[in-house]
């Protein structure tokens, strides 16, 4: 039997997607060739790219609104610098909500002045700062919608007249948002989309072309727009699996439908964390993420017993990140409700035993 996979990423993907992807590795589209042994210029692969891009825009409700979808390489980490390379003239504003924001800030500092509008570092990033001012003369404002390591999530986004840029690596396609508020969204594939190896970038074309510096071709969004994400050889397998996952999501009923399931899963786990006296949540209640739930044992002496119990129940990937400790249950789109039920049963069994 498959494990109950709570890994933070790479992570669980829909089983039917895995099956189709493994078939395409042997024989893609009945061509008697593998998906990964044909030219990226062949019609079948060009169709995959086009389909993946239009599904991404369709699911986010951004079709025909001046946005381009790109499938790039180098992970979300390369976007930390690419965003600044393409958009930062003098000054940009950043909200620091954890490790990934911190890394984005570090890269952006290579290109201009960075105003950190607020930070939750004082409390090991267990909350989302709320009241801050974004300078009106900033080239853009950057934030991280979901903080994978700390288990916090931004429930609302500031209204600002400067371009809004968001790292949505760990919650894209998981909840309904007004995506048209954002001017650029990026996300590594390896949570809600596919295997590691490609990064989705959604960019509003009219924010580009405003910096004075020369931009190397591979880091210039305009290059990839003009070449339909085929300027160089794209990671076809990662893009194909992303396409299948986006099709899967569309067939389920899109983001609205999956959000309902995600709320059920997170609601079930957080209510156990709150009623079970052996556990305490790490993140501030109002900022809790539906994707990554972080929690600790009140009494560390129970660690060995608890770890044995969840492993015995077929659960995998529950250990917390080293900067928070304790446990992190990642409940991405493809994780079935049943897996959360198994975890909650183990937690209440521990209470009965202790
Ligand atoms: C929110 C967030 N941003 C950025 C990254 C870095 O992504 P990558 O490993 O694709 O560079 C991660 C990785 O987990 C993440 O969770």
């Amino acid at each position: 039997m498959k494990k109950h996979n709570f890994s933070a990423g790479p992570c669980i993907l829909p089983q039917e997607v895995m099956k189709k992807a493994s078939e395409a590795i042997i024989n893609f589209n009945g061509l008697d060739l593998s998906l990964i042994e044909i030219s990226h210029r062949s019609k079948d692969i060009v169709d995959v790219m086009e389909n993946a891009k239009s599904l991404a825009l369709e699911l986010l409700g951004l079709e025909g609104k001046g946005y381009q979808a790109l499938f790039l390489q180098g992970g979300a980490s390369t976007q930390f610098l690419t965003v600044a390379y393409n958009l930062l003239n003098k000054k940009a504003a950043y909200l620091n909500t954890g490790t990934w924001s911190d890394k984005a800030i570090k890269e952006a500092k290579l290109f201009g002045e960075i105003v950190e509008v607020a930070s939750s570092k004082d409390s090991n990033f267990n909350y989302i700062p709320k009241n801050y001012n974004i300078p009106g003369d900033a080239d853009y404002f950057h934030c991280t919608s979901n903080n994978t390591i700390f288990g916090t999530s931004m429930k609302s986004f500031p209204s600002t007249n400067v371009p809004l840029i968001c790292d949505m690596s760990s919650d894209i396609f998981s909840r309904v948002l007004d995506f048209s508020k954002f001017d650029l969204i990026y996300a590594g594939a390896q949570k809600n989309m596919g295997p590691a190896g490609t990064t989705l970038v959604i960019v509003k074309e009219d924010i580009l072309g405003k910096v004075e510096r020369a931009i190397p071709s591979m880091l210039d969004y305009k290059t990839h727009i003009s070449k339909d994400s085929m300027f160089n050889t794209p990671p076809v397998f990662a893009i194909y699996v992303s396409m299948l996952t986006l099709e899967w999501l569309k067939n389920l009923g899109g983001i609205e439908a999956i959000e309902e399931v995600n709320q059920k899963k997170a609601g079930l786990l957080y209510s156990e964390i709150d009623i079970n006296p052996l556990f305490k949540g790490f993140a501030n209640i109002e900022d809790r993420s539906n994707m990554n739930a972080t929690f600790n044992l009140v009494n560390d002496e129970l660690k060995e017993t608890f770890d044995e119990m969840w492993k015995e129940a077929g659960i995998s990937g529950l250990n917390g990140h080293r900067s928070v400790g304790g446990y992190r249950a990642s409940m991405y789109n493809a994780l079935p409700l049943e897996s959360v039920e198994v975890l909650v049963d183990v937690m209440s069994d521990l209470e009965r035993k202790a």
Side-chain angles (χ1 to χ4, degrees), residues 38-84:
I38 58 173
S39 166
H40 58 292
R41 306 277 175 210
S42 63
K43 182 177 180 311
D44 291 78
I45 298 291
V46 171
D47 285 352
V48 167
M49 182 66 94
E50 286 311 306
N51 199 12
K53 288 196 295 190
S54 63
L55 277 165
L57 290 175
E58 184 189 338
L59 285 161
L60 299 172
L62 294 178
E63 267 177 329
K65 292 188 178 164
Y67 289 85
Q68 291 282 342
L70 304 171
F71 281 93
L72 305 180
Q73 295 175 67
S77 301
T78 301
Q79 293 309 308
F80 297 160
L81 64 111
T82 313
V83 162

Side-chain angles (χ1 to χ4, degrees), residues 8 74-78 80 100 144 146-148 167 169-170 188 190-191 199:
S77 301
T78 301
F80 297 160
W100 300 113
T144 312
N146 187 78
N147 298 282
T148 328
D167 175 0
S169 291
S170 52
Q190 65 272 17
K191 273 89 154 128
T199 310

Side-chain angles (χ1 to χ4, degrees), residues 110-164:
L110 299 171
F111 300 91
E113 181 196 345
I114 299 305
V115 180
E116 201 174 286
V117 296
S119 166
S120 44
K121 203 172 195 158
D122 56 350
S123 190
N124 198 19
F125 299 112
N126 75 344
Y127 71 100
I128 302 283
K130 304 287 170 355
N131 297 314
Y132 48 83
N133 290 321
I134 299 171
D137 60 347
D139 294 321
Y140 62 84
F141 170 69
H142 178 285
C143 57
T144 312
S145 52
N146 187 78
N147 298 282
T148 328
I149 294 174
F150 303 94
T152 61
S153 141
M154 292 178 75
K155 307 297 176 200
S156 63
F157 295 85
S159 294
T160 167
N161 58 353
V162 308
L164 186 54

Side-chain angles (χ1 to χ4, degrees), residues 24 28-29 31 34-52 228-230 233-237 239-240 243:
F28 174 51
N29 282 0
L31 296 171
S34 167
L35 167 77
I36 55 171
E37 61 180 11
I38 58 173
S39 166
H40 58 292
R41 306 277 175 210
S42 63
K43 182 177 180 311
D44 291 78
I45 298 291
V46 171
D47 285 352
V48 167
M49 182 66 94
E50 286 311 306
N51 199 12
D228 294 322
S229 299
M230 294 257 194
T233 315
V236 290
F237 180 71
I239 296 167
Y240 180 66
M243 183 203 82

Side-chain angles (χ1 to χ4, degrees), residues 80-105:
F80 297 160
L81 64 111
T82 313
V83 162
Y85 225 133
N86 283 261
L87 303 174
L88 177 47
N89 256 321
K90 287 203 169 66
K91 178 160 104 179
Y94 278 68
L95 177 64
N96 192 350
T97 52
T99 309
W100 300 113
S101 316
D102 221 24
K103 290 190 177 188
I105 291 169

Side-chain angles (χ1 to χ4, degrees), residues 233-350:
T233 315
V236 290
F237 180 71
I239 296 167
Y240 180 66
V241 179
S242 299
M243 183 203 82
L244 293 178
T245 309
L246 297 177
E247 270 175 358
W248 167 84
L249 180 57
K250 185 180 166 179
N251 292 336
L252 275 183
I255 297 179
E256 255 175 50
I258 205 75
E259 180 177 40
E260 221 175 279
V261 183
N262 289 335
Q263 279 170 349
K264 238 188 232 165
K265 291 186 291 187
L268 184 64
L269 179 56
Y270 283 125
S271 60
E272 179 64 24
I273 290 170
D274 291 340
I275 58 166
N276 189 324
L278 302 183
F279 294 96
K280 62 173 190 296
F282 172 77
N284 250 21
I285 289 180
E286 64 175 17
D287 301 321
R288 280 173 166 174
S289 159
N290 281 355
M291 293 287 99
N292 314 96
T294 44
F295 56 99
N296 296 74
L297 275 165
V298 172
N299 176 357
D300 263 343
E301 282 172 15
L302 291 173
K303 181 173 164 39
E304 208 175 303
T305 314
F306 181 54
D307 289 357
E308 244 171 53
M309 286 170 68
W310 59 258
K311 284 175 192 162
E312 182 71 17
I315 287 171
S316 140
L318 200 65
N319 287 320
H321 188 273
R322 61 193 172 281
S323 42
V324 177
Y327 300 95
R328 171 173 51 169
S330 296
M331 298 172 281
Y332 296 115
N333 286 354
L335 184 85
L337 177 65
E338 184 210 340
S339 293
V340 181
E341 288 167 349
V342 170
L343 172 58
V344 164
D345 282 351
V346 171
M347 291 165 78
S348 49
D349 276 356
L350 182 70

